[in-house]
Amino acid sequence: NLLKEMKGEIAKGEIAIRELKGKLTLDVVDKILFASGEATVKKEGLHVLKRVVNVLKDVQGKAIRIEGHTDNKSIRTARFPSNWELSAARSLTVTRFLQEQGIEPAILSAVAFGEYQPVADNATAEGRAKNRRIAIVLVPRD
């Protein structure tokens, strides 16, 4: 159902969906959600997240883990001294949004990975772009 509902976003390259070891992962590219070095969701990103919420509301028996990922380019600002803080702020922003849209907070969690779980090579601009993402992971409930 997720693939069917999100096919427009998948075709535009805004979202990728993968399944591995019983976990369904929805990767949302950061450029649709956030401006560079920011943790406030952009207007276009809110539209995509609202579409995701409509699908997640029907999910039964799963917990939802929001993972923040960055590329390996360091950020050093007063608000975000490192990629850890940026990825944490972004995952918390998305988690709060899901809660505000009616997703049960008891099944939500936010995780920050910074640059330490890349899915592509950080040596290229294309690889770095793939690594900057929010992953929405459906996992079995404890």
Side-chain angles (χ1 to χ4, degrees), residues 68-71 83-84 87-88 112-118 131 133:
H69 298 270
T70 67
D71 61 23
N83 286 343
W84 283 107
S87 66
F113 287 106
E115 70 263 32
Y116 300 109
Q117 290 196 359
N131 291 331
R133 67 197 187 283

Side-chain angles (χ1 to χ4, degrees), residues 13 19 22 31 49 51 64 70 77 103 112 118 124 137 142:
E19 185 175 3
K31 71 179 179 182
L49 286 178
R51 300 258 305 127
I64 302 168
T70 67
T77 66
I103 302 293
T124 67
V137 185
D142 291 335

Side-chain angles (χ1 to χ4, degrees), residues 8-16 27-30 32 44 47-48:
E9 289 80 3
I10 293 168
K12 290 184 215 170
E14 298 170 343
I15 289 178
D27 288 322
V28 185
V29 294
D30 85 318
I32 192 72
E44 316 86 273
H47 174 72
V48 170

Side-chain angles (χ1 to χ4, degrees), residues 93-124:
T93 296
V94 173
T95 301
R96 282 191 193 106
F97 178 80
L98 295 180
Q99 179 184 357
E100 290 165 1
Q101 299 301 305
I103 302 293
E104 176 62 42
I107 65 167
L108 292 171
S109 62
V111 180
F113 287 106
E115 70 263 32
Y116 300 109
Q117 290 196 359
V119 293
D121 187 353
N122 275 309
T124 67

Side-chain angles (χ1 to χ4, degrees), residues 27-97:
D27 288 322
V28 185
V29 294
D30 85 318
K31 71 179 179 182
I32 192 72
L33 292 178
F34 306 105
S36 179
E38 295 295 326
T40 302
V41 179
K42 298 189 306 189
K43 191 161 51 169
E44 316 86 273
L46 289 175
H47 174 72
V48 170
L49 286 178
K50 285 178 183 175
R51 300 258 305 127
V52 170
V53 166
N54 290 333
V55 174
L56 292 178
K57 283 184 176 180
D58 295 332
V59 171
Q60 300 292 317
K62 298 285 185 182
I64 302 168
R65 185 174 66 215
I66 311 303
E67 300 176 351
H69 298 270
T70 67
D71 61 23
N72 67 344
K73 297 290 183 184
S74 294
I75 185 170
R76 298 223 190 298
T77 66
R79 184 170 179 205
F80 305 119
S82 75
N83 286 343
W84 283 107
E85 286 83 5
L86 178 60
S87 66
R90 287 178 169 184
S91 66
L92 284 168
T93 296
V94 173
T95 301
R96 282 191 193 106
F97 178 80

